[in-house]
Amino acid sequence: MEKDFLRRLLQELGAEENDVVYTDDLVVKVDGSASTTSKLPFQTWKDFGWKNVASALSDLRVKFAEPLLMLVSVTAPFMDVAEEIIEGVKEAARRFSLRYAGGDLNEGIEAVVDVVMVGRAPAKIGRVPNPGDLLITIPHFGYTSIAYKFWPAAAHPTVKRGVEMLKRPEPIWPLPLLECVTASMDSSDGLADVLWTMAKGVDIVVTQLPTTDDVEAFAEDRQLDLEELVFNGGEEYLPVFAIRPNCEVRPPYVAFAEVRPGQGNVWWRDKPLPWRGWSYFRRG
Amino acid sequence: MEKDFLRRLLQELGAEENDVVYTDDLVVKVDGSASTTSKLPFQTWKDFGWKNVASALSDLRVKFAEPLLMLVSVTAPFMDVAEEIIEGVKEAARRFSLRYAGGDLNEGIEAVVDVVMVGRAPAKIGRVPNPGDLLITIPHFGYTSIAYKFWPAAAHPTVKRGVEMLKRPEPIWPLPLLECVTASMDSSDGLADVLWTMAKGVDIVVTQLPTTDDVEAFAEDRQLDLEELVFNGGEEYLPVFAIRPNCEVRPPYVAFAEVRPGQGNVWWRDKPLPWRGWSYFRRG
């Protein structure tokens, strides 16, 4: 599995497992995806360009890092596909005030986008919280799961919202106080993945589902498993921060889990959380 | 054409056309390729990983930039292909004393490798020389052209040398004096591409073919067009420096061209150089 392999690799390199690479006061991130496995049927090539930028930005922002510049390497089968992807990249750069400084362009049989961001970080923030911390997030989980399942019926406002989140994610959420934050991750491979990744040497007990009335109503109406929608989605680009217990939780954030001493379990309603998040190379 | 598109894009971005991106005292580079268009039949996946690292390093080195760290994003159809590519990346990192700090791993239908390097540069070096300058290089052009054409017959030492250059390029050539250098490029898409790119607002007159007796003998023996072998190869990862006319040329460098006032022509034996170098999206 991809995550185990990356873990082994980072250990071998003597590198810390984190969402960004720190060097002096800089953070560097490369984040990409291939269209055959990651472009959704309702995404245009522009959306695909935008999405890859948003995904990299999300990783920097959750670490409180200010992006200094962005480079984008595009592989594409045709020039017009490359042009559309880069148009989407430029739209995202404008929207998020990023300095798009150039990149590389190559020909291949499918579109692959790799986004590089270099930023400056006021502090180094890892992934693993301390016992006693609270986990907070913006409670908008579930929309992307609904969009994956129901997108051709995008007339329903809840599906529509999910589709919009997947087409044009906007990871420019407000940030909590830096001095309150002990760890952080953004959810790109699903909330379950975030929780299992953060639960290293500690346990995490989820106390409520970070979602909306909309999503709950939609799930009830269609008799969907609400928990699966919330935990097993992906590409929400929503932040999860671990904060010290004495810190105040202000909107749009809610506390949804507690960190306890433990051996790396994630608990939901007294059972281990059954989902693990999304991963490549499952078949292998 | 890819290069025109990149040129337009950089103009739009207000960015200078160069092989690396400068920001304060840092240089950043992303350089990649897709296996269907860029992996040679005699390259292993390890070679392919190594080659992509060498290609990015070559761009930094020709700008006198010291690499601080490297990130590599690998897209691959199978986990074992990804592992081999990363093994080659690691071998290159060891050989070139690079800090391989991590990256990204994604699944796709072909292998795509994007290498990110962040370095520190003592000066900013562009691509366009001044009239009066000399162009110098290490005169090893021709080997890769021969390898492309003759690789199944790799028993001949000249072919063998070209194949080895393409499998494991080593862009760690000595550098001329920094204060002598007015412009630079490395040859990844062929010497003709370097010359036409450097000839912006100036003319370049090639005075001799930067190649070896070996290559000349091989060309004569097989009745090959020596000029085409030298100018129209690719992936040599050899440097071309423009130096001030009063600077001494020391081995392994030779002067092979002169920069004159002009409108952007490259001359060889009183005619415009007929080759333009290698480019993607030719059919488009």
Side-chain angles (χ1 to χ4, degrees), chain A:
Chain A
M1 291 255 294
E2 153 221 9
K3 282 173 211 289
D4 292 331
F5 174 68
L6 285 178
R7 197 162 296 137
R8 261 191 296 128
L9 178 63
L10 288 171
Q11 276 166 357
E12 237 180 272
L13 297 169
E16 197 194 342
E17 211 183 322
N18 206 342
D19 307 276
V20 295
V21 170
Y22 288 95
T23 180
D24 303 331
D25 60 342
L26 291 180
V27 295
V28 189
K29 173 77 192 177
V30 60
D31 193 17
S33 65
S35 54
T36 48
T37 53
S38 299
K39 181 176 168 288
L40 297 163
F42 50 78
Q43 284 174 332
T44 63
W45 290 113
K46 280 191 200 179
D47 294 335
F48 188 61
W50 175 297
K51 192 272 302 247
N52 280 285
V53 172
S55 174
L57 176 63
S58 179
D59 280 308
L60 260 73
R61 188 155 177 84
V62 83
K63 302 297 176 186
F64 286 71
E66 175 210 353
L68 297 175
L69 65 86
M70 171 171 74
L71 281 76
V72 181
S73 180
V74 175
T75 300
F78 306 107
M79 199 64 211
D80 57 343
V81 170
E83 291 206 38
E84 279 190 60
I85 289 171
I86 290 170
E87 195 47 52
V89 164
K90 287 197 294 191
E91 287 175 13
R94 275 194 297 273
R95 175 73 183 94
F96 303 134
S97 309
L98 299 169
R99 185 184 151 214
Y100 173 31
D104 195 15
L105 176 61
N106 293 293
E107 188 179 345
I109 54 172
E110 72 166 322
V112 174
V113 179
D114 275 312
V115 175
V116 181
M117 281 191 199
V118 180
R120 223 174 276 283
K124 197 171 160 178
I125 303 171
R127 287 171 160 186
V128 180
N130 301 317
D133 289 347
L134 290 176
L135 298 192
I136 65 171
T137 191
I138 299 171
H140 289 173
F141 285 88
Y143 288 104
T144 63
S145 304
I146 289 171
Y148 292 138
K149 289 181 211 285
F150 290 91
W151 68 269
H156 190 289
T158 305
V159 181
K160 209 167 166 178
R161 172 119 191 241
V163 166
E164 206 41 50
M165 279 173 79
L166 288 167
K167 280 167 75 75
R168 298 282 163 148
E170 299 215 338
I172 44 173
W173 1 272
L175 295 171
L177 285 174
L178 174 59
E179 50 275 32
C180 283
V181 173
T182 57
S184 67
M185 273 186 80
D186 75 317
S187 70
S188 49
D189 298 335
L191 183 58
D193 173 70
V194 171
L195 296 171
W196 283 108
T197 304
M198 292 181 98
K200 291 277 177 298
V202 294
D203 273 14
I204 289 174
V205 181
V206 181
T207 52
Q208 60 162 300
L209 296 179
T211 190
T212 65
D213 294 345
D214 272 2
V215 170
E216 285 185 19
F218 190 91
E220 200 178 319
D221 190 46
R222 313 276 170 130
Q223 297 188 286
L224 304 170
D225 182 344
L226 177 64
E227 300 174 5
E228 194 190 346
L229 297 181
V230 169
F231 288 116
N232 205 30
E235 298 187 285
E236 294 90 357
Y237 305 113
L238 289 169
V240 174
F241 292 105
I243 63 168
R244 298 180 205 286
N246 57 336
C247 281
E248 199 192 335
V249 182
R250 286 182 210 170
Y253 288 94
V254 298
F256 74 102
E258 293 167 18
V259 184
R260 306 252 176 97
Q263 268 81 51
N265 263 309
V266 179
W267 301 96
W268 166 241
R269 294 193 167 158
D270 301 324
K271 286 192 206 122
L273 191 69
W275 300 280
R276 287 277 165 170
W278 196 82
S279 184
Y280 292 116
F281 303 111
R282 276 266 163 94
R283 67 191 180 199

Side-chain angles (χ1 to χ4, degrees), chain B residues 223-234:
Chain B
Q223 296 189 287
L224 303 172
D225 182 345
L226 178 64
E227 299 174 6
E228 194 190 346
L229 296 181
V230 169
F231 288 116
N232 205 29

